[in-house]
Amino acid sequence: MEKKLIVGLMVFTALYMILPWIMTRVMGIGVFRKGTGEKEVAFTFDDGPDPTYTPQLLDLLRKHQVQATFFVLGSKARKHPELIRRMHQEGHLIGVHNYEHLSNWLLPPWTVQRRQVKRSADILESITGVRPTHYRPPWGIMNLFDYWLLRKFKIVLWSVMVQDWRSRIGSTRMKSVLLERIKGGSVVLLHDSGETFGADRDAPLYMLEALEEVIVELTSRRYRYVNVDQMAQSGAVAGFAKRIVVALWMCWERGFVKLMRVKPVDHDNTLLQLRVTEYRGKQTIHLPDGERIEQGDRIAELHLDNHLLYQLGSSATSTVHLAIQLVRRTELLMPQIIRLLQTDPDYKDVKGLYGISIIHRGTRKLGFTVLDLPKGIFSSLTRVYLRLLLYIVHPQGKDRLKTKSDLLVPKIVAISSKELMNRYIVLGQKGVS
């Protein structure tokens, strides 16, 4: 009986606490934690409002014209409505951070929803006239039921954290770490109060000193400061269901690349990846330059970096924009492929590049031949696979699947090594020298 009780408790703990932690903190499922803008950063501040430090922070943000996001505690908002009103009037986004700074793991799910989140949202709405739609759980910790009970809120975590709640970090070290870690699309976690459990009361003082220097430096680098809602909109953040599919897909993708020993042509531009193998297709591929690829011939099998493709698709403003990015990145990689063919022993006797893709527009301009895939079970399965891929990586994937399904036919794309040399030999020689 005791064994069953212990096992049951372990299972409950795993489902209630550990599973949502893995989903949110490790896989990023159901939460927003990073944008895609190359020169955008979102500063977010937790645990306030604080009567000592929040006014100083607001002065600093106004001085440098920075838009930020505040995740406030309902109990403090009730005590300091004038600070909430000022945040709202100065254009900052205000979200909920519970009524009290308590972990959702230690609270029953309905308590989180009603006494912590809804109660805080009611207070903020009464002060600003606007009901908050963003939520950050204390310590970034959710329980399993939060996904459903808080589904009306956009849950926001972070991509950069510097432990600014500790005074011993100091402003100099804090500045250094922030400037090192902040990249385009970063969501930065900071605190404008030192009154929560584990924090030092004077810690926000060091945060403010570091933050001003960081803002000055980032401004010189032409960064834009946005709130998390603006960042999410500009990044075309996917819905909850799609994010689950994407997360699972990317896990499978990493395993496939490792298992099949697929390698990027360029580690800085990973769009094209190659695997030297034998051509196993029954159809002989006849290329315009007279070359033929037959079963058993050595080829460099083309693969796309679907993680990068998803990032490009998420930030693309249109289908045309995405296509242009893909063509330009591919053009830049051609000389490096030439170098592999000329210098890498693994590529000796490779007859050409070969791949199967729905994304084949523009490949003819690069010298590729585009051929129909022979009908059959393999073609049908490939079509299903690539349609799922399109749904994931395309900026309008779901709509495109509905409206242009007749165009979503997988094609063979191939180019001989000889044709590659003829087209790109000059650039290839420059790359070798």
Side-chain angles (χ1 to χ4, degrees):
M1 186 68 180
E2 286 184 3
K3 264 190 180 179
K4 288 184 179 179
L5 187 62
I6 292 171
V7 171
L9 186 60
M10 289 174 65
V11 171
F12 174 78
T13 301
L15 290 175
Y16 193 74
M17 300 180 179
I18 299 174
L19 179 60
W21 188 88
I22 293 172
M23 291 171 69
T24 56
R25 300 293 292 274
V26 178
M27 302 178 68
I29 296 175
V31 299
F32 178 73
R33 57 183 184 179
K34 194 176 188 302
T36 57
E38 290 186 8
K39 287 290 182 179
E40 286 184 345
V41 59
F43 286 111
T44 67
F45 302 92
D46 289 7
D47 299 355
D50 183 277
T52 301
Y53 297 112
T54 303
Q56 296 178 51
L57 173 58
L58 289 170
D59 289 343
L60 188 157
L61 297 176
R62 182 171 58 185
K63 174 183 173 182
H64 294 282
Q65 299 181 334
V66 173
Q67 292 294 296
T69 305
F70 288 83
F71 291 98
V72 303
L73 296 172
S75 57
K76 291 187 175 183
R78 183 174 57 81
K79 292 179 182 177
H80 308 288
E82 73 286 352
L83 292 177
I84 299 297
R85 205 169 290 116
R86 182 180 169 187
M87 290 176 192
H88 177 68
Q89 291 171 348
E90 295 183 4
H92 302 294
L93 182 68
I94 304 174
V96 174
H97 195 49
N98 278 4
Y99 184 79
E100 299 168 296
H101 203 279
L102 299 173
S103 170
N104 290 13
W105 278 0
L106 305 178
L107 298 170
W110 282 270
T111 298
V112 174
Q113 180 207 20
R114 296 172 185 170
R115 297 184 184 177
Q116 297 294 328
V117 180
K118 184 181 181 299
R119 186 180 181 187
S120 299
D122 290 343
I123 291 170
L124 292 172
E125 185 177 18
S126 70
I127 296 171
T128 66
V130 177
R131 192 163 188 82
T133 57
H134 294 75
Y135 173 67
R136 174 178 284 163
W139 294 291
I141 293 173
M142 296 173 60
N143 66 58
L144 188 61
F145 293 94
D146 288 341
Y147 275 108
W148 172 252
L149 296 175
L150 303 178
R151 63 190 180 279
K152 293 182 180 179
F153 288 84
K154 296 174 185 176
I155 299 169
V156 181
L157 296 185
W158 58 85
S159 61
V160 175
M161 178 177 66
V162 292
Q163 298 185 353
D164 65 309
W165 58 87
R166 294 176 176 171
S167 301
R168 68 173 182 268
I169 298 295
S171 58
T172 302
R173 173 63 179 157
M174 201 180 302
K175 171 191 171 184
S176 175
V177 173
L178 283 171
L179 289 176
E180 179 185 341
R181 294 182 182 175
I182 290 176
K183 312 292 181 186
S186 290
V187 176
V188 183
L189 168 63
L190 297 169
H191 301 79
D192 58 328
S193 174
E195 294 182 347
T196 52
F197 177 76
D200 297 324
R201 286 189 175 272
D202 63 342
L205 179 64
Y206 300 96
M207 182 276 292
L208 290 167
E209 291 176 358
L211 179 61
E212 180 151 31
E213 294 183 38
V214 167
I215 289 173
V216 170
E217 176 61 28
L218 292 179
T219 300
S220 71
R221 300 180 189 176
R222 299 184 180 278
Y223 271 82
R224 294 174 55 243
Y225 307 105
V226 296
N227 63 46
V228 292
D229 194 39
Q230 292 167 331
M231 180 176 279
Q233 289 176 12
S234 66
V237 175
F240 174 68
K242 183 168 181 176
R243 286 200 295 273
I244 292 178
V245 174
V246 170
L248 294 174
W249 185 282
M250 294 310 169
C251 286
W252 176 87
E253 178 83 10
R254 285 191 289 270
F256 173 83
V257 167
K258 191 171 182 179
L259 180 66
M260 303 303 289
R261 297 181 179 178
V262 179
K263 297 179 181 179
V265 175
D266 183 341
H267 289 282
D268 293 323
N269 176 10
T270 60
L271 179 65
L272 289 186
Q273 302 180 329
L274 298 176
R275 179 174 77 109
V276 177
T277 185
E278 290 184 358
Y279 174 62
R280 293 182 174 84
K282 294 181 180 180
Q283 175 191 20
T284 298
I285 299 173
H286 296 271
L287 299 173
D289 61 355
E291 186 69 271
R292 295 189 307 175
I293 298 178
E294 300 178 302
Q295 193 173 40
D297 286 340
R298 282 167 55 78
I299 58 167
E301 191 176 75
L302 279 168
H303 296 269
L304 294 175
D305 178 353
N306 290 325
H307 182 71
L308 175 61
L309 201 55
Y310 173 68
Q311 291 179 327
L312 294 174
S314 298
S315 60
T317 56
S318 66
T319 302
V320 174
H321 182 206
L322 176 58
I324 290 172
Q325 290 188 78
L326 296 181
V327 171
R328 286 178 177 171
R329 282 178 175 263
T330 303
E331 282 179 323
L332 292 173
L333 290 170
M334 286 304 180
Q336 296 186 60
I337 294 175
I338 292 287
R339 184 168 57 186
L340 287 173
L341 293 173
Q342 291 177 330
T343 63
D344 193 322
D346 290 341
Y347 287 80
K348 185 180 179 182
D349 300 327
V350 163
K351 275 200 170 181
L353 307 184
Y354 166 89
I356 300 174
S357 180
I358 282 178
I359 307 172
H360 45 72
R361 283 189 176 185
T363 55
R364 286 189 176 91
K365 293 180 181 178
L366 299 172
F368 284 85
T369 297
V370 180
L371 302 169
D372 291 332
L373 195 64
K375 292 182 180 179
I377 295 176
F378 177 74
S379 177
S380 299
L381 292 175
T382 301
R383 183 168 182 166
V384 172
Y385 170 85
L386 293 176
R387 282 167 65 88
L388 178 58
L389 174 62
L390 184 74
Y391 166 73
I392 291 172
V393 304
H394 198 282
Q396 293 90 34
K398 186 176 181 181
D399 295 333
R400 187 163 170 78
L401 286 175
K402 291 179 180 178
T403 60
K404 297 191 177 181
S405 59
D406 55 318
L407 300 178
L408 304 180
V409 179
K411 300 277 189 179
I412 294 171
V413 293
I415 186 171
S416 69
S417 297
K418 183 167 62 176
E419 180 65 21
L420 275 170
M421 296 289 185
N422 289 337
R423 281 178 172 263
Y424 302 100
I425 188 64
V426 175
L427 291 175
Q429 287 173 342
K430 287 182 181 178
V432 173
S433 60

